[in-house]
Amino acid sequence: MNEKWRARIAGAGAGLANGLFGGGGGMVFIPVMSRSKLRQQKLYATCVGVIFPICAVSAAIYFWRADLSIQTALPYLLGGLAGGLVGGKLYGKVSAKWLKWIFAAFLFYGGVKYLL
């Protein structure tokens, strides 16, 4: 399978994950995109750049269907913006080895919390 089709399939999987679960598209992209020649920090930044419009589309559909509660989401959004600022400032300062372990820990924690 050529690289363009792999990217399209990963994009469809990420969009499907976001649409069904309200997030998680990045979990699809990271493993697929890690096969590229990008260094780890650039890989994560590229993933964020790709997932942002997908999240915006999902959020717009939820909002249009009246399934999105802005009042409930606002505190999380404010915290997420603050975390994004801190993460952006740390970009390039955390080694690729640590990024992999931190990402794996988030995946593990999320999986355990979901199952319990």
Side-chain angles (χ1 to χ4, degrees), residues 18-19 22 53-65 67-68 70:
N18 265 21
I54 294 170
C55 290
V57 168
S58 295
I61 291 171
Y62 294 150
F63 184 76
W64 179 65
R65 292 180 54 191
D67 289 336
L68 174 64
I70 299 292

Side-chain angles (χ1 to χ4, degrees), residues 17-42:
N18 265 21
L20 286 174
F21 307 124
M27 306 300 176
V28 174
F29 278 132
I30 290 292
V32 173
M33 291 175 71
S34 66
R35 296 179 182 168
S36 71
K37 304 278 189 236
L38 295 175
R39 61 184 173 78
Q40 204 69 30
Q41 285 90 348
K42 196 167 203 160

